[in-house]
Amino acid sequence: MTAYYKNIVDYYAATENAYKDIWDLNNSLAIHYGYWDEKVKNFPQSLLRMNELMIEAASIQAGDKVLDAGCGVGGSSIFLTKNVGCNVTGISLSEKQIEQAKANAFKNNLDDKLKFLQMDYCHTSLPDESFDVVWGCESICYAENKEQFIKEAYRLLRPGGRLVVADGFVSRFENNDDPVIRKWLDGWQVNYLETPERFQQFMQAVGFMDMQHGDISKYTAHSSRRLYKFYFLANLYLIWKRISLSYRTTEMQKKNIAACKYQYKGMKKDLWQYGLIVGRKP
């Protein structure tokens, strides 16, 4: 495992409690932005709605074999299996997340229908043309090389298979060096973001067709604001803990909290967008 990937694994271990406190992790099993449209009445629903949106965009059906690339604690994998009837394999860099995903599948009586493996989604040991869908819900931003991920996704997909990615994309590639974006990405241990245009160029170069891109930022803005509010609440909470319990916050936890502010500022300044991209292997 590279040093970059080890930082990502350490980050999710260090920030797990924060996701439990503000992101309904124990119930929704989601570590991603919510999608807020007319069907959504509350925050937990918005998290599940993002799954539905990706399912609709990629025309996912019962019986489809899906690779959940960067599966976290198994939320989307479980949703796809329970609500659509897919056969899902989830992969993550984190051994801890894989064990949590297996435990969550067991709690949902789906442990015999789901497979979770510790693996790098840019370099898997899975066979060629073994999936109908490669699914990346807010995980592909962590790829050490996004172009390599796309090449691997193409290899793994059967003819007619679809790649669907919901994630952050910078408006211009140079925005990765903007102080606001840099403080956000460093806080969440992300090396860089692609632009939607570059990402689709990589897809086209490897052979994907029928590519579609949508900027869904206005539907994820509620989550962005929620994170921004958390920044202020978390700082007050940490001050109280330091005074009352002599609690020491790690540098990684401090940067994670600060990132919640900068992702909001970056979106407000149109430095980045939340995008949904789909493509088909001919």
Side-chain angles (χ1 to χ4, degrees):
M1 185 181 293
T2 66
Y4 170 63
Y5 280 155
K6 185 178 184 305
N7 283 340
I8 295 168
V9 171
D10 291 345
Y11 164 77
Y12 276 103
T15 59
E16 181 180 347
N17 286 336
Y19 282 105
K20 288 179 180 178
D21 290 342
I22 69 156
W23 223 247
D24 195 46
L25 180 61
N26 284 335
N27 297 309
S28 65
L29 308 179
I31 315 176
H32 58 76
Y33 285 56
Y35 184 89
W36 202 284
D37 62 7
E38 69 282 352
K39 296 182 178 181
V40 172
K41 304 301 180 186
N42 55 53
F43 177 66
Q45 285 182 8
S46 75
L47 299 172
L48 300 180
R49 181 71 183 119
M50 181 65 81
N51 288 332
E52 293 175 348
L53 182 77
M54 293 177 68
I55 290 166
E56 294 162 8
S59 302
I60 299 174
Q61 301 174 359
D64 277 348
K65 290 192 69 176
V66 180
L67 176 67
D68 187 355
C71 64
V73 298
S76 292
S77 298
I78 290 169
F79 189 92
L80 285 161
T81 304
K82 183 184 288 186
N83 294 280
V84 184
C86 297
N87 300 307
V88 185
T89 299
I91 59 176
S92 170
L93 293 167
S94 169
E95 182 180 2
K96 181 179 181 182
Q97 284 190 340
I98 291 299
E99 292 307 313
Q100 289 172 315
K102 289 178 179 177
N104 288 327
F106 180 79
K107 290 176 187 174
N108 284 271
N109 298 314
L110 295 171
D111 51 308
D112 59 334
K113 297 181 180 178
L114 282 160
K115 183 188 297 182
F116 293 104
L117 304 168
Q118 185 181 6
M119 201 175 287
D120 173 6
Y121 54 45
C122 289
H123 303 279
T124 76
S125 57
L126 301 167
D128 293 354
E129 299 185 355
S130 50
F131 294 95
D132 300 295
V133 177
V134 173
W135 168 291
C137 185
E138 224 166 291
S139 56
I140 310 312
C141 58
Y142 283 106
E144 198 155 16
N145 183 313
K146 281 64 168 173
E147 184 177 11
Q148 176 56 39
F149 162 75
I150 291 169
K151 290 177 180 178
E152 181 69 353
Y154 192 86
R155 180 185 74 81
L156 292 170
L157 284 170
R158 297 167 174 165
R162 289 85 69 204
L163 169 63
V164 57
V165 173
D167 220 320
F169 295 90
V170 282
S171 307
R172 298 185 307 129
F173 195 73
E174 301 77 45
N175 289 354
N176 281 294
D177 296 322
D178 185 282
V180 171
I181 295 296
R182 201 65 261 153
K183 288 176 182 177
W184 167 36
L185 299 184
D186 287 348
W188 287 359
Q189 304 300 313
V190 174
N191 54 357
Y192 68 96
L193 296 179
E194 284 294 353
T195 65
E197 293 78 17
R198 277 172 53 100
F199 200 88
Q200 290 175 94
Q201 285 168 11
F202 294 148
M203 290 176 66
Q204 186 174 32
V206 81
F208 279 102
M209 300 178 64
D210 302 330
M211 291 172 296
Q212 297 179 33
H213 160 249
D215 179 354
I216 59 172
S217 301
K218 70 177 182 178
Y219 298 103
T220 60
H222 185 280
S223 289
S224 182
R225 288 192 299 271
R226 184 183 181 93
L227 287 164
Y228 185 57
K229 292 175 183 176
F230 170 71
Y231 163 77
F232 295 101
L233 292 172
N235 277 296
L236 289 172
Y237 176 67
L238 291 176
I239 290 170
W240 173 79
K241 288 199 81 170
R242 281 198 299 270
I243 294 171
S244 62
L245 301 171
S246 299
Y247 176 82
R248 286 183 172 271
T249 314
T250 67
E251 196 62 31
M252 186 174 282
Q253 288 169 332
K254 289 177 184 176
K255 287 184 176 180
N256 174 55
I257 292 168
C260 295
K261 173 176 72 173
Y262 291 111
Q263 60 79 34
Y264 176 78
K265 289 193 169 188
M267 183 177 278
K268 293 290 284 185
K269 293 173 70 174
D270 293 323
L271 295 174
W272 74 282
Q273 63 166 258
Y274 199 105
L276 179 66
I277 293 180
V278 185
R280 180 180 62 83
K281 179 177 180 176

